[in-house]
Amino acid sequence: MSDLWSRIERILPQVERPSRYIDREWGARDPEGSCDYSVVLAYPDAYEIGMANQAIGILYGALNSMDGVSAERCY
């Protein structure tokens, strides 16, 4: 991963919205070990539009608060 980061870090200032492309958003939770259920909440629009949707945020928080469940978002 550090090899990839060193290659893309220098071009990120030229990208309009780099958070769309760097794989993780700030504050994203890494699943601890294995989980019983993995969930992906997919929103069919750009990152900024999907993040503004309160329903996605509520579902994401509720799912990640459950034991054995790991939720991620995809835009």
Side-chain angles (χ1 to χ4, degrees), residues 12-32:
L12 282 178
Q14 300 167 18
V15 178
E16 185 177 332
R17 300 190 192 282
S19 61
R20 290 183 183 173
Y21 308 104
I22 60 173
D23 181 41
R24 288 269 178 208
E25 59 191 346
W26 296 110
R29 181 185 121 154
D30 285 332
E32 297 106 22

Side-chain angles (χ1 to χ4, degrees), residues 1-74:
M1 179 69 179
S2 63
D3 211 23
L4 176 62
W5 179 254
S6 64
R7 293 187 315 193
I8 64 171
E9 182 180 23
R10 59 189 156 86
I11 64 169
L12 282 178
Q14 300 167 18
V15 178
E16 185 177 332
R17 300 190 192 282
S19 61
R20 290 183 183 173
Y21 308 104
I22 60 173
D23 181 41
R24 288 269 178 208
E25 59 191 346
W26 296 110
R29 181 185 121 154
D30 285 332
E32 297 106 22
S34 64
C35 58
D36 298 327
Y37 300 99
S38 294
V39 179
V40 174
L41 300 171
Y43 194 85
D45 210 327
Y47 176 84
E48 294 80 15
I49 304 298
M51 284 301 287
N53 185 308
Q54 292 180 341
I56 295 293
I58 291 168
L59 289 171
Y60 179 75
L63 289 167
N64 276 327
S65 70
M66 296 177 181
D67 290 335
V69 178
S70 174
E72 298 209 25
R73 294 175 283 205
C74 173

